Amino acid sequence: MKTFVSLSKAMALGLLRDRAAVFFMLVFPLMFLALFGALFGNDSTAQAKIVQVGNVKILDSIPDKERAQLRDVLSIEKTDGSAAARAEALKKVREGDTDAAVFQDGKGEIALRYSAADSVRSGNVRGVVDSVVQQANQEATGQPPAYRLTAKRVEDKSVKPIQFLTPGLLSWAVAMGGVFGSAFNLVSWRKKRILRRLWLAPVGPGSVIGARVGVNLALAFAQTGIFIGLARLPYYGLQLSGNWWMCLPLVACGTLAFMSIGLLIGSWAKTEEAANGLAQIIVLPMAFLSGSFFPLELAPGWVRTVSGYLPLTHLAEAMQAVVSRGEGWGAALPVMGGLLLFAAVVTLIASRLFRWDDA
């Protein structure tokens, strides 16, 4: 136990003294949470901006009361109907200065011109203008619609994007800490011949491994506390579910899984530069492909297929289930078992490549 405590203390102090490691494993992911939480704090529908060229009957006939209601989602700039005005409006659309141009020809057809460069903005403006046209058609026929769609969000109105950003970015931070911490530590100790001294010293491998795991778990739990503490600030407004505490065993299992990747990298790499490059190649693409930064609903099918095989995907989804959606052990246990199995397999492979020194 004395050996275990001494090794843990040495590893923890070595980590805290490495300012670059502290920054990339703790501060860097926290910056993403603060930035994304501020950027996506307001999840209201963006206002669509259109240029109306000349007279467009359905737009001109909108009553003042309804026009006031539309002002939050639709901004209309009216110009004259000349060819020059139409050309200028289309130029603004191409250059991204407005979302769309609307004009009406002599036959009564409404023409909407938008740019495909931004699918989100074009989809938004098409939906808003289409709703205006459908409303005008209904009023023209005098017949009420046969069916009416009522759309409501399943979450409480207090739910904000921070509910989905926090679990994903916390999972990414755990992955960063597990991979980079164990990989750098292993390569550094091998270069400094500390591993060789431990091999020759009367120190059991259990103490060395236990100390490394303990330090990484302490770092992961510290990350969890800081992330949740920041997200809970009134500015961000994270609302924890009743089973949020289940994120702690998930963080522990995720740490072991990503530590095994770090051990594999550290066992193979000969220099710290090589370890850093391999860790970046593995962790950064995994973060994007797992949906830690943004949802993958609109991603190509092959991206979603690849994502299903990544441990970070399952960790982030399980974290979101227990932190934000109130799910329990049914969502956490299968993922925990899968992460532990992944850790065991990768650690076994790493043990085959492990060497005490570079000789």
Side-chain angles (χ1 to χ4, degrees):
M1 179 58 69
K2 184 177 180 181
T3 303
F4 170 78
V5 172
S6 299
L7 285 171
S8 299
K9 183 178 179 180
M11 290 180 184
L13 290 175
L15 176 63
L16 293 176
R17 288 168 182 166
D18 189 345
R19 296 180 181 178
V22 172
F23 175 79
F24 281 105
M25 288 190 290
L26 183 59
V27 181
F28 188 57
L30 201 62
M31 289 169 56
F32 273 79
L33 177 65
L35 177 62
F36 286 179
L39 289 177
F40 302 112
N42 183 7
D43 60 348
S44 61
T45 303
Q47 184 187 56
K49 299 179 181 180
I50 66 173
V51 175
Q52 176 186 336
V53 181
N55 295 323
V56 178
K57 186 175 180 181
I58 62 169
L59 296 180
D60 293 334
S61 60
I62 298 177
D64 292 339
K65 183 178 180 180
E66 294 183 10
R67 189 180 293 272
Q69 294 174 346
L70 279 173
R71 195 167 291 126
D72 290 337
V73 294
L74 183 64
S75 172
I76 304 174
E77 175 190 349
K78 186 174 181 179
T79 65
D80 61 74
S82 65
R86 180 179 298 190
E88 179 63 23
L90 295 176
K91 180 182 178 183
K92 286 185 176 182
V93 175
R94 283 191 293 268
E95 294 178 350
D97 294 330
T98 191
D99 294 331
V102 179
F103 51 89
Q104 182 174 348
D105 60 21
K107 299 179 181 179
E109 181 178 350
I110 310 298
L112 176 69
R113 299 292 182 263
Y114 59 90
S115 173
D118 190 333
S119 59
V120 175
R121 292 176 63 185
S122 62
N124 184 38
V125 71
R126 288 168 63 189
V128 172
V129 175
D130 182 66
S131 66
V132 173
V133 173
Q134 294 303 323
Q135 179 69 21
N137 287 333
Q138 177 186 333
E139 292 176 355
T141 59
Q143 297 295 324
Y147 302 96
R148 178 174 296 175
L149 174 66
T150 302
K152 293 183 179 180
R153 61 194 299 175
V154 296
E155 299 90 359
D156 183 80
K157 290 184 178 180
S158 62
V159 174
K160 299 179 180 180
I162 196 70
Q163 300 291 138
F164 309 99
L165 289 172
T166 303
L169 292 176
L170 175 57
S171 300
W172 173 57
V174 169
M176 289 269 289
V179 173
F180 282 88
S182 53
F184 275 108
N185 185 257
L186 193 56
V187 173
S188 176
W189 279 25
R190 186 186 299 117
K191 287 184 64 178
K192 296 176 181 178
R193 294 188 173 273
I194 296 177
L195 284 180
R196 184 175 180 83
R197 294 171 191 164
L198 290 174
W199 180 31
L200 298 174
V203 178
S207 297
V208 179
I209 296 173
R212 182 69 262 173
V213 170
V215 170
N216 272 74
L217 286 176
L219 171 65
F221 291 143
Q223 287 175 321
T224 303
I226 295 172
F227 262 72
I228 292 179
L230 177 64
R232 288 277 292 167
L233 292 176
Y235 179 76
Y236 296 108
L238 173 67
Q239 300 294 322
L240 296 175
S241 74
N243 294 322
W244 72 269
W245 58 269
M246 290 186 185
C247 71
L248 297 178
L250 279 169
V251 165
C253 294
T255 298
L256 295 176
F258 289 104
M259 275 190 69
S260 68
I261 298 177
L263 290 174
L264 181 61
I265 294 172
S267 298
W268 183 85
K270 294 183 178 180
T271 64
E272 294 171 341
E273 291 77 12
N276 177 57
L278 285 171
Q280 292 284 7
I281 289 173
I282 292 174
V283 175
L284 194 57
M286 189 186 299
F288 285 98
L289 292 174
S290 66
S292 295
F293 294 151
F294 47 81
L296 299 178
E297 283 80 3
L298 300 179
W302 68 268
V303 173
R304 296 195 297 272
T305 300
V306 172
S307 176
Y309 292 97
L310 301 177
L312 185 53
T313 300
H314 300 284
L315 176 60
E317 290 178 351
M319 292 277 281
Q320 188 179 111
V322 299
V323 171
S324 300
R325 296 200 296 263
E327 297 185 40
W329 288 111
L333 279 178
V335 175
M336 291 167 59
L339 290 172
L340 292 176
L341 178 61
F342 177 87
V345 172
V346 177
T347 301
L348 179 61
I349 298 172
S351 68
R352 304 297 183 183
L353 301 175
F354 177 79
R355 57 191 186 279
W356 290 97
D357 55 33
D358 293 326

